[in-house]
Amino acid sequence: MAAPGEEEDVMARYRSPLVSRYASAEMAYNFSERKKFGTWRRLWLYLAQAEKSLGLPITDEQIQEMEANLDNIDFKMAAEEEKKLRHDVMAHVHTFAHCCPKAAAIIHLGATSCYVGDNTDLIVLRDGFNLLLPKLARVISRLADFAEKYADMPALGFTHYQPAQLTTVGKRCCLWIQDLCMDLQNLERARDDLRFRGVKGTTGTQASFLQLFEGDHSKVEELDRLVTAKAGFKRAYMVTGQTYSRKVDIGVLAVLASLGASIHKICTDIRLLANLKEIEEPFEKDQIGSSAMPYKRNPMRSERCCSLARHLMTLVMDPLQTAAVQWFERTLDDSANRRVCLAEAFLTADIILSTLQNVSEGLVVYPKVIERRIRQELPFMATENIIMAMVKAGGNRQDCHEKIRVLSQQAAAVVKQEGGDNDFIARVRADPYFSPIHKQLESLLDPSSFTGRAPQQVAKFLKEEVRPALIPYQSKMGGKIELAL
């Protein structure tokens, strides 16, 4: 072990892979100590500025001193103070006061710890959403381009993971996009619903501020409004305990968990399609799929998304349980839990969005494999069309139905018992009974005639719902993403 004070080898200590391996620098910074404590100092500045403007004896010199030292944080001193005081906020009050001796007396004036703690959390949550939303919009944009490109390409549909009626490659992608568009709306709403805790005091009554302003309620209300505006919020919660209601955290993590479910479904579909060899995620030139099986092309990006999405989905249980056990005006058993779950939820969402963007920018489609799978199943799906064509040609429906029943069962036996290809159409061609429609068989088996309105649905959906939803993020749509690992 390294001696106290010596720099330890970072490889000898656990580091969260969410930060060390996956997350973007922007999201990692958003939940960093520097962002947190720098925001604390800005909140102390906002409070002092507002108190001064409302008549408290705070000087311009004190304000200027605070402004000059917002990012001049002695983290070593703060750590030593916290070890001594066992109170993180007071440790940073003392550290800030040390470099602002003239302002020391008015730093944190009238406030409680949650003034900086909770308000900073709300700022960080808001900023976290602002980082995620353009990333989600980019994923939707890339998938929309893919859906548009393959809007007309027929593909075998599946229900219960059993062959069903045809769809198109683009239409299936629109199922993914629609879920993500719901997530985009949910994240926007959750961000916009966030309010500031504001200036509320130790149990939310604003008693300390009412005393500072000698019973002037209007000045206390104006103080709350001014600080809220300085922090970039339009509204503050009208009532709080010592903390803002922990139900707010439930709402935040619930929409992120829902995003996780969407991405898990999308990436599971991609993994299944990779097994079918119809669509694959990008695979780099020197990438190794397996240490033992050189031929393998594992969908590792989609697997990563599924793996982390499961973690994201479970995190909502933390704020649910925390909100349920907050006694009266607050208990401190929320603190350690929230340090973990709030940061991890945003970091995880950030990672899976970046990974899915990478996947969506390099999806590889194999049309011949898709066509072959259609050929294997389409003959059975075309039986009703064949019956209708025979009836139009003068045949008897019941006789035709029996003929097709026998031939289709013979073809199914070839597929299932002999492992051969579906030869149903060949049997129809060879049967003189069907000679009146032999020339129509090609058109009766045209895959595009089995996809219904799928191409039209894709065009209408992208034009009327998807593209308009992306307009606010248009300036942030450029640039492909490369994964670090």
Side-chain angles (χ1 to χ4, degrees):
M1 296 291 292
E6 291 183 10
E7 184 177 349
E8 295 183 37
D9 180 358
V10 294
M11 303 307 289
R13 301 175 64 188
Y14 173 78
R15 295 181 298 160
S16 168
L18 293 177
V19 174
S20 65
R21 189 173 178 90
Y22 300 128
S24 68
E26 297 84 359
M27 190 62 79
Y29 174 75
N30 190 51
F31 287 92
S32 69
E33 299 287 271
R34 184 167 294 281
K35 168 76 176 276
K36 174 181 176 179
F37 297 129
T39 304
W40 284 13
R41 292 194 174 188
R42 283 160 177 79
L43 287 168
W44 283 320
L45 173 64
Y46 300 156
L47 181 62
Q49 288 173 329
E51 289 173 337
K52 178 180 182 298
S53 71
L54 291 169
L56 292 188
I58 296 172
T59 67
D60 289 338
E61 193 175 22
Q62 289 172 314
I63 296 295
Q64 291 164 7
E65 188 179 52
M66 294 173 73
E67 289 176 331
N69 287 280
L70 291 175
D71 297 309
N72 178 26
I73 304 174
D74 187 337
F75 288 100
K76 183 178 179 181
M77 179 183 177
E80 291 171 350
E81 288 288 328
E82 184 174 354
K83 187 175 181 181
K84 180 173 62 177
L85 302 173
R86 297 310 234 183
H87 197 289
D88 57 349
V89 173
M90 287 309 300
H92 277 270
V93 169
H94 289 187
T95 304
F96 196 17
H98 181 75
C99 57
C100 298
K102 295 174 183 175
I106 55 93
I107 293 172
H108 198 66
L109 184 59
T112 186
S113 299
C114 286
Y115 166 69
V116 289
D118 272 33
N119 283 324
T120 292
D121 286 345
L122 290 162
I123 290 170
V124 168
L125 295 178
R126 178 197 63 193
D127 293 352
F129 279 127
N130 285 335
L131 290 172
L132 291 180
L133 281 163
K135 293 189 176 189
L136 176 52
R138 281 198 294 272
V139 170
I140 293 171
S141 175
R142 303 304 190 266
L143 290 175
D145 292 342
F146 179 86
E148 189 170 49
K149 181 177 180 180
Y150 294 101
D152 300 326
M153 181 179 285
L156 184 64
F158 289 90
T159 59
H160 314 276
Y161 201 37
Q162 301 300 314
Q165 288 188 349
L166 300 192
T167 182
T168 69
V169 172
K171 170 64 190 300
R172 175 178 284 144
C173 183
C174 284
L175 298 179
W176 304 339
I177 295 169
Q178 181 166 252
D179 286 353
L180 293 176
C181 284
M182 293 180 192
D183 293 314
L184 188 73
Q185 291 176 337
N186 289 340
L187 264 65
E188 288 174 338
R189 183 171 58 251
R191 178 199 60 189
D192 295 343
D193 283 349
L194 285 174
R195 300 190 194 184
F196 204 51
R197 177 191 177 274
V199 183
K200 298 296 195 299
T202 56
T203 57
T205 65
Q206 298 178 305
S208 58
F209 297 104
L210 192 61
Q211 185 176 1
L212 279 174
F213 289 104
E214 299 178 346
D216 190 331
H217 290 268
S218 63
K219 285 191 174 182
V220 176
E221 289 186 1
E222 181 64 6
L223 177 70
D224 204 0
R225 190 196 68 76
L226 286 172
V227 175
T228 297
K230 286 177 180 291
F233 285 81
K234 295 179 180 178
R235 297 180 299 169
Y237 296 107
M238 292 186 70
V239 294
T240 72
Q242 190 173 87
T243 68
Y244 67 79
S245 171
R246 294 312 185 217
K247 283 186 71 69
V248 173
D249 296 342
I250 297 173
V252 169
L253 264 64
V255 298
L256 297 181
S258 182
L259 172 65
S262 299
I263 293 179
H264 198 296
K265 184 265 192 292
I266 293 167
C267 290
T268 299
D269 282 358
I270 293 172
R271 292 164 67 189
L272 293 170
L273 289 167
N275 173 262
L276 297 174
K277 297 180 174 60
E278 292 190 8
I279 294 178
E280 287 182 344
E281 66 179 38
F283 197 90
E284 296 170 16
K285 178 186 175 185
D286 297 323
Q287 184 174 331
I288 295 175
S290 167
S291 61
M293 296 168 279
Y295 60 87
K296 292 193 75 180
R297 292 170 65 95
N298 299 334
M300 52 82 68
R301 293 169 173 82
S302 298
E303 290 173 311
R304 177 188 298 174
C305 284
C306 289
S307 180
L308 291 171
R310 286 200 300 274
H311 177 59
L312 178 55
M313 287 186 281
T314 64
L315 287 172
V316 72
M317 290 305 300
D318 277 349
L320 280 168
Q321 296 182 71
T322 294
V325 298
Q326 286 300 288
W327 303 345
F328 302 114
E329 280 65 47
R330 77 90 48 101
T331 65
L332 196 59
D333 64 348
D334 63 337
S335 178
N337 184 286
R338 295 175 68 253
R339 288 176 191 268
V340 176
C341 71
L342 296 181
E344 288 203 355
F346 278 87
L347 289 165
T348 306
D350 178 70
I351 295 159
I352 59 178
L353 282 173
S354 295
T355 308
L356 184 56
Q357 180 185 335
N358 178 265
V359 169
S360 62
E361 287 172 347
L363 285 172
V364 181
V365 177
Y366 295 104
K368 296 299 182 183
V369 178
I370 295 173
E371 290 171 11
R372 182 174 182 273
R373 185 154 285 108
I374 290 174
R375 287 198 304 271
Q376 290 172 337
E377 301 294 341
L378 190 61
F380 294 144
M381 298 178 191
T383 54
E384 187 66 20
N385 288 5
I386 293 173
I387 291 173
M388 293 299 100
M390 281 295 296
V391 170
K392 288 179 181 178
N396 179 285
R397 186 195 181 282
Q398 311 315 324
D399 293 340
C400 184
H401 184 279
E402 179 59 20
K403 282 277 189 181
I404 286 180
R405 185 187 70 81
V406 172
L407 295 181
S408 63
Q409 288 187 359
Q410 292 171 350
V414 170
V415 173
K416 294 179 179 180
Q417 297 173 20
E418 301 175 18
D421 290 333
N422 189 332
D423 64 357
F424 172 72
I425 296 302
R427 292 175 185 274
V428 171
R429 290 187 189 281
D431 192 325
Y433 174 80
F434 293 99
S435 58
I437 64 165
H438 280 171
K439 292 182 179 180
Q440 299 180 47
L441 286 176
E442 287 298 325
S443 61
L444 291 174
L445 289 166
D446 179 5
S448 63
S449 67
F450 290 82
T451 59
R453 297 192 63 255
Q456 291 75 21
Q457 288 179 347
V458 171
K460 186 177 179 68
F461 175 58
L462 295 181
K463 178 182 179 181
E464 296 185 10
E465 292 195 21
V466 179
R467 304 295 187 190
L470 300 179
I471 290 174
Y473 308 97
Q474 214 61 48
S475 63
K476 299 179 180 180
M477 288 297 181
K480 287 194 172 186
I481 193 166
E482 300 294 334
L483 298 184
L485 288 171

